[in-house]
Amino acid sequence: MERVAIQVRVNGVEHRHEVEPRTLLVHYLRETLGLTGTHVGCDTSQCGACTVLLDGKAVKSCTLFAVQADGREVLTVEGLSQDGLHPVQEGFREKHGLQCGFCTPGMVMAAYALLQENPNPTEEEVRHYLEGNLCRCTGYQGIVEAVFWAAERMRAAQAAD
Amino acid sequence: MPYVGQAVKRKEDYRFLTGRGAYTDDLTLPGMVHAAFVRSPYAHARIRAIRTEAALKAPGVLAVLTGEDFAREGVKPMPVGWLLPTLKIPPRPVVAKDEVHHVGEIVAVVVAETRAQAEDAALLVEVDYEPLSPAADLRKALAPGAPELHPEAPGNVAFTWEIGDEKAVEEAFAKAHKVVRLSLRQQRLIPNAIEPRASLAAYNPGTGEYTLYTTSQNPHVHRLMHAAFILGIPEPKLRVVAPDVGGAFGSKIFPYPEEAAVLVAARQVGRPVKWAARRTESFLMDAHGRDHETEAEMAFDAEGRVLGLRVRTLANMGAYLSLFAPAIPTYLYGTLLSGQYRIPAIYCHVTGVFTNTTPVDAYRGAGRPEASYILERLMDLAAEEFGVDPADLRRKNFIPKDAFPYATPVALVYDSGNYEEAFQKALELVGYWNLRKEQAELRAKGRYLGIGLSCYIEACGLAPSKVVGQLGAQAGLWESALVRVAPTGKVEVYTGSHSHGQGHETAFSQVVADLLGVSLEDVEIVHGDTGRIPFGMGTYGSRSAPVGLSAVVRAVEKVLDKARRIAAHLLEVAPEDLEYREGRFEVKGVPGKAKGFQEVALQAYLAHNLPEGMEPGLEATAFFDPSNFVFPFGTHVAVVEVFPETGEVKLLRYVAVDDCGPQINPLLVKGQVEGGVVQGIAQALLEEGVYDENGQLLTTSYMEYAMPRAAHIPRIEHGHTVTPSPVNPLGVKGIGEAGTIAAAQAVVNAVMDALRPFGVRHLDMPLTPEKIWRALRDRVPVAAD
């Protein structure tokens, strides 16, 4: 099968590869780059385990072809914090927003994107925003609390700057 | 400060939060290739021929294996691990050869260099099917002249089973003041761990050893089944590793055909073979749950006291018997039919039925939600017929707290309980009597509030092995642990329990750190690898704390006993003269004369100065076989509003009061309850695996199978009571399934309570807006009395 050259910046690092046009972004991240934190849960863009940020917007990386990321910037869970945990990740730990951890990278990225867009969401807004991410373990309660915990920390940090 | 009882944050979170977890599909071995499965599109068909030539010529393809190849290899059928006296066991092949019995059954295995190539080539395998009439529905499968699935099971009956005293129940009904009847369906559910099942097999021709990385709740059980029963190789030649496992809910207990298939394929092609399920494959092949049709009757005296219960259930087993399937609608169901109530006479009859559908097995709760649902629906219906509040009727029938240990008429002896206390706490938390007033006021204004109660009991930590053996279990249900102290005093705990989200690394560490007086960071929990852990039974049925952790406690006690003898020798005193406090053996009454745990550990390995005859080293193994089950319990309350114009249900409140004995980590308990409750709420309102009359599964993706999402669920409010169990050293009971066992009937009772003015007596789950709207469209509400 023909291959297409792409150049993608992932977690701040420039990558050049030749990929099959049918390669999904999630498979490029997992198999070509070895970034296995981004997970595949459903193949139909319903579960959100593969959520990453593309040019700052939350996307489901099983919905995009790798070639669609050409010339763009991707942030995965591995790149969220260079040092220790990002407040969103810390929030999940504080509030027990994860159990098996499989949906967690996608949840964390979706929660991070939400707080970028809306630093002070209501509970209804949080639950609505996370509708595209399935968690079978936590019942979502810990996740919602984690988002509030992180929101507060991030607002405080912002105010301190 | 002791760790046990504290809401300690989880040790395992860091790797998951940073994307460094290692799930099976994240693993890559050198030379790894990929498998894809050709699956039956028919529910029932004869295989006339399979042509593999085109697939074999496709790019990257290394092998195409059919049922003939597996038969030639001597691969045996999938085993059944719980035998009932009347059980019929038709063989379930790893790869079908002559006939297929459900959609999704494996017909061929394609191995290729890449996953895409394997999936492409699978489409080129030509299978010539002769479609046969399917029996896709329980009732149709039992009807005279129905198509038969297996010659071994005439009439598609897998087994019949009964428990209780039928005659005593007849007598109870004969003298009853009132009899309440209910026909109901427990719909089929599909477990849907968010991590799809995956397996990666490697074979070393030099040693004849296999390694299987797989999504498993109990790697030793997988090893035993695949080695001894399916492949026919010595168990030590197979190492099974369950790395990080992304949720399971029962569905990863059982050995599956795909696992055996990749093991065989890895040997055939001489390279490691990986398969990761597509979500549609998970829907088609993961063992489903529930799926009962039941007729239940409860007899009452004039005061509203239960006299007897009679239950007749048809249990859909699917096309074959999955590993523990026969236990679920029998011993895990019929024996739970006393619930929290004093019921003098109970009789339950179950018919297990083969249908051309995916096999069922344990799914979170496994049998116990089905039993609890029946009881709690009957209690509500009875309260209505007596014209009393459902809370009052329940309270009248609770087993009193001074009646424990309590022997039910259906084989169990409850260990401990205080049902009234948890019940009272739940009513207070939700503000029950105020809600009843509010409900009456709203009804007068044409708004329909509903309040649903659920008083549940569950049985966890199945035991003792001798007893379960008499009931048909082909396994002992004890657990093992090895505690190994390093020369530096750091501690490794090897457990047969398995964590797939429950947080064992934290909870087990808390207990061990407290017992040894060391810090949490000094304890490592090792699980999930038959190459490292002692033989153990794994995690299901909420057994990890009551059984698995009890084995750990016993092993720690043995280690401490040896350490004490070493310390006594070093201090030149008798072991009884020592007191162990905060990681030090202190001579009683002699302040400062002491030996630290770390020093004792070092001496154990230096072995320069040990008591005469003592072996060096500091480690111990223990096997714990409890004397009885444990019986957690509680009361859950759901509050809903139903909108008759649209049939929509809005969950307003959910209160959960649970008693799992002393809590090791309240954070983990809360997480388990919330996750479980949401699975129960989803059963009540959303989820159902649906087959058409041809046996086609119509729900094969998240486009068709309604999973609960964040916006569906209200904040869950918690309360707890603590009633320790006398059957294990920590007094703990399980909490993994409690929420799921309790929640469905709380919600259904609430919805039915809201619909009472419309005269709707019962609707089967899931209570979708459409179902409610249809039930209401020809009815007008009766004015509140």
Side-chain angles (χ1 to χ4, degrees), chain A residues 22 30 37 39 41-43 46 77 89 92-94 96 99-102 123 127 131 136-137 139-141, chain B residues 9-10 17 23 25-26 116 120 191 247 249 278-279 501 667 671 674-675 687 703 708-711 713 715:
Chain A
R22 66 176 174 179
R30 288 176 55 80
H39 296 149
C42 74
D43 311 307
Q46 293 280 314
V77 71
Q89 293 165 313
F92 274 73
R93 181 157 188 272
E94 277 300 314
H96 194 30
Q99 288 180 22
C100 78
F102 191 80
E123 175 157 350
R127 288 184 184 269
E131 277 224 348
R136 192 61 150 171
C137 293
Y140 303 103
Q141 186 73 28
Chain B
K9 310 286 183 297
R10 295 205 318 173
L17 285 166
Y23 302 88
D25 191 30
D26 298 340
D120 285 348
F249 316 109
R278 296 288 183 191
R279 180 55 59 179
L667 199 66
E674 286 167 3
E687 293 184 34
M703 314 288 273
R709 293 170 187 274
I713 307 301
R715 218 160 246 278

Side-chain angles (χ1 to χ4, degrees), chain B residues 644 757-760 770-782:
Chain B
F758 294 88
V760 179
E770 186 201 358
K771 195 178 278 174
I772 293 172
W773 179 81
R774 282 184 190 282
L776 296 189
R777 65 180 170 170
D778 298 326
R779 293 170 187 262
V780 285
V782 181

